[in-house]
């Protein structure tokens, strides 16, 4: 069965973005960028891929991306209606007008039902939960793996990595890679 993997950038204090959705405060060391390009090329947006040597590079881990409106909106507001054209794209939003791009599927209700359905469907890869915090909180029971890029930055406030009801769920770190500026990439799996 396919897995739902929450792959996201996070600050030391647990924020995925600033209060207005800012995410440009994360320092991007060359060795981390090189690792992501080599191991997770499909997580690079479609409009960026030709400029960084990834045009036509096949997906390695994911074939589907799931995002909340706050994650989708920065691209959408700049006229990029299909930020990951190399993946099946789902946007969970009750307020987004129907997109003009047929590559986007808008999901109005029941993100848990959607994920359960996607997990049962055949696919060539896992499902990437790209963000945001409210969606991740709602999908916590279905998250099979966390893949967190933790940057050596304190945000102070902003959008938390997970938001929702108090519902502790233990995870165990299974691998951590460290990069030149102190950023880490840690894989967590649910503790059984």
């Amino acid at each position: 069965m396919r897995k739902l993997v929450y792959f996201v950038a996070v600050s030391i204090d647990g924020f995925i973005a600033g209060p207005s959705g800012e995410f440009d405060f994360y320092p991007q060391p060359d060795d981390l960028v090189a690792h992501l390009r080599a191991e997770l090329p499909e997580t690079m947006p479609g409009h960026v891929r030709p400029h960084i040597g990834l045009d036509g590079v096949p997906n390695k881990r994911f074939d589907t991306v799931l995002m909340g409106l706050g994650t989708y909106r920065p691209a959408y507001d700049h006229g990029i209606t299909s930020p990951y054209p190399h993946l099946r794209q789902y946007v969970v939003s009750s307020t987004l007008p129907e997109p003009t791009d047929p590559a986007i599927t808008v999901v109005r209700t029941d993100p848990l039902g959607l994920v359960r359905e996607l997990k049962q469907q055949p696919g060539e890869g896992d499902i990437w939960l790209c963000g945001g915090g409210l969606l991740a909180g709602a999908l916590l029971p279905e998250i099979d793996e966390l893949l967190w890029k933790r940057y050596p930055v304190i945000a102070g406030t902003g959008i938390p990595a997970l938001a929702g009801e108090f519902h502790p769920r233990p995870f165990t770190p299974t691998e951590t890679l460290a990069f030149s500026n102190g950023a880490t990439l840690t894989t967590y799996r649910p503790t059984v």
Side-chain angles (χ1 to χ4, degrees), residues 9-11 14-22 26 70 132-134 155 157-163:
V10 64
S11 65
F15 295 102
I16 59 174
S20 297
E22 307 91 344
Y26 291 124
L134 285 172
T157 190
I159 299 169
L162 289 120

Side-chain angles (χ1 to χ4, degrees), residues 1-35:
M1 182 164 59
R2 301 165 74 205
K3 293 190 292 188
L4 178 64
V5 180
Y6 187 20
F7 171 55
V8 70
V10 64
S11 65
I12 293 171
D13 51 347
F15 295 102
I16 59 174
S20 297
E22 307 91 344
F23 55 87
D24 57 352
F25 58 91
Y26 291 124
Q28 300 294 325
D30 290 342
D31 54 344
L32 172 58
V33 173
H35 177 79

Side-chain angles (χ1 to χ4, degrees), residues 5-192:
V5 180
Y6 187 20
F7 171 55
V8 70
V10 64
S11 65
I12 293 171
D13 51 347
F15 295 102
I16 59 174
S20 297
E22 307 91 344
F23 55 87
D24 57 352
F25 58 91
Y26 291 124
Q28 300 294 325
D30 290 342
D31 54 344
L32 172 58
V33 173
H35 177 79
L36 296 176
R37 286 169 56 177
E39 298 303 321
L40 296 164
E42 64 272 26
T43 64
M44 302 296 162
H47 64 282
V48 172
R49 291 168 62 95
H51 305 289
I52 59 173
L54 293 177
D55 198 22
V57 172
N59 299 340
K60 285 187 140 185
R61 174 82 193 265
F62 304 112
D63 69 2
T64 303
V65 63
L66 181 63
M67 56 194 129
L69 180 59
T71 302
Y72 178 64
R73 186 166 295 285
Y76 182 78
D77 287 348
H78 284 93
I80 301 167
T81 58
S82 179
Y84 299 99
H86 47 283
L87 299 171
R88 290 189 313 171
Q89 302 170 87
Y90 294 86
V91 177
V92 177
S93 172
S94 61
T95 60
L96 181 69
E98 286 301 320
T100 57
D101 197 308
I104 299 293
T105 300
V106 177
V107 178
R108 303 276 178 214
T109 61
D110 195 18
L112 274 172
L114 169 68
V115 167
R116 290 174 180 143
E117 180 183 320
L118 290 173
K119 284 182 171 185
Q120 297 301 321
Q121 293 176 357
E124 295 183 17
D126 289 327
I127 304 155
W128 171 27
L129 173 55
C130 184
L134 285 172
L135 180 58
L139 295 175
L140 180 58
E142 288 295 325
I143 294 175
D144 300 297
E145 184 175 299
L146 302 171
L147 186 54
W148 283 26
K149 293 179 291 181
R150 185 172 299 274
Y151 290 95
V153 172
I154 297 286
T157 190
I159 299 169
L162 289 120
E165 297 179 18
F166 180 73
H167 184 76
R169 183 174 181 213
F171 282 78
T172 300
T174 60
E175 179 182 37
T176 299
L177 303 174
F179 298 92
S180 59
N181 73 337
T184 58
L185 180 61
T186 302
T187 302
Y188 298 88
R189 294 203 173 92
T191 304
V192 181

